[in-house]
Amino acid sequence: NAGVTQTPKFRILKIGQSMTLQCTQDMNHNYMYWYRQDPGMGLKLIYYSVGAGITDKGEVPNGYNVSRSTTEDFPLRLELAAPSQTSVYFCASSGASRALEKLFFGSGTQLSVL
Amino acid sequence: EDKVVQSPLSLVVHEGDTVTLNCSYEVTNFRSLLWYKQEKKAPTFLFMLTSSGIEKKSGRLSSILDKKELFSILNITATQTGDSAIYLCAVEDSGNTPLVFGKGTRLSVIA
């Protein structure tokens, strides 16, 4: 089973560039999340979705956008990359519960904005 | 106004030492507290605590929750270099909001 597939694994952007981090899951999960993790820090929630067509802001949504047109896909868009967005990004999904015990993580995307 | 506060933020110990990691929280309608270990990639689940005073144990790791004083501790006995990681605490409330994470404790175990 593929689980949560996140691409790309690494990316370097110049300031002002845009990109989309892709996330797809094949477990028919309703809940999907995007987290960022700065060096030596915990996970901060950027956006989340409780189902197709529904998205909500997390703790640090500024500079990002998301969409959830299908149950499987939850892409994260950076419109104007800034150095402050240098981080590791994790996509995750869960079924009926929000509890992390039941969360499945993607392998992460290391993004550097120079 | 952090809702989940972990301490210490970093810790260096020698192999064989015992460590205690702390997590205090403040949420409106507490549902559960979770501990995770993060090495190089995504966090891996350790414990979920929902009731006060009941110790959860897995090998050399154990954790307990105090819902009255709003904190949890994670103990690691006889530490090994493989215990080096960031340990994350997260709290879930019973509303419609996602988990709230602490900043984590970076544990380094040196031989």
Side-chain angles (χ1 to χ4, degrees):
Chain A
N1 289 336
V4 179
T5 302
Q6 192 180 331
T7 58
K9 292 190 186 304
F10 303 95
R11 185 71 186 268
I12 298 174
L13 287 180
K14 293 182 179 178
I15 294 172
Q17 285 186 318
S18 62
M19 76 163 294
T20 299
L21 279 67
Q22 301 292 345
C23 178
T24 187
Q25 51 91 9
D26 61 0
M27 297 171 284
N28 202 32
H29 282 170
N30 288 327
Y31 291 84
M32 295 188 75
Y33 309 81
W34 275 105
Y35 291 94
R36 62 175 284 174
Q37 186 174 35
D38 299 329
M41 302 291 282
L43 295 167
K44 292 190 176 181
L45 185 66
I46 306 171
Y47 271 95
Y48 68 103
S49 168
V50 301
I54 305 169
T55 62
D56 276 298
K57 293 179 180 179
E59 184 183 357
V60 289
N62 290 344
Y64 307 94
N65 277 302
V66 293
S67 59
R68 187 90 183 274
S69 56
T70 65
T71 299
E72 295 77 19
D73 300 307
F74 191 42
L76 177 72
R77 178 103 180 137
L78 284 72
E79 290 294 350
L80 291 170
S84 61
Q85 293 177 305
T86 294
S87 191
V88 179
Y89 292 83
F90 289 102
C91 177
S93 73
S94 68
S97 170
R98 299 187 310 278
L100 218 66
E101 177 184 7
K102 299 173 179 65
L103 252 172
F104 294 80
F105 279 95
S107 56
T109 296
Q110 188 161 333
L111 176 67
S112 296
V113 182
L114 306 175
Chain B
E1 42 182 85
D2 289 346
K3 293 183 177 180
V4 180
V5 178
Q6 290 186 246
S7 63
L9 291 181
S10 65
L11 187 59
V12 180
V13 300
H14 288 95
E15 274 191 316
D17 287 351
T18 293
V19 297
T20 298
L21 310 182
N22 303 290
C23 177
S24 63
Y25 64 90
E26 181 182 338
V27 295
T28 306
N29 296 297
F30 177 86
R31 178 173 170 176
S32 64
L33 183 146
L34 302 101
W35 283 98
Y36 294 82
K37 177 182 182 182
Q38 186 179 22
E39 295 174 88
K40 293 185 178 177
K41 291 204 170 177
T44 54
F45 172 78
L46 293 175
F47 300 111
M48 175 189 271
L49 303 159
T50 57
S51 301
S52 277
I54 299 174
E55 185 184 52
K56 294 267 181 122
K57 196 169 174 65
S58 175
R60 297 176 293 102
L61 277 67
S62 64
S63 184
I64 197 161
L65 174 68
D66 186 327
K67 289 168 72 173
K68 182 179 177 184
E69 301 297 331
L70 308 182
F71 77 91
S72 173
I73 59 172
L74 175 69
N75 278 322
I76 308 175
T77 59
T79 51
Q80 302 171 357
T81 54
D83 295 326
S84 297
I86 297 173
Y87 290 85
L88 298 168
C89 173
V91 173
E92 182 183 22
D93 70 25
S94 57
N96 201 28
T97 53
L99 284 165
V100 178
F101 280 87
K103 292 181 179 177
T105 294
R106 180 179 288 276
L107 174 66
S108 299
V109 181
I110 55 179

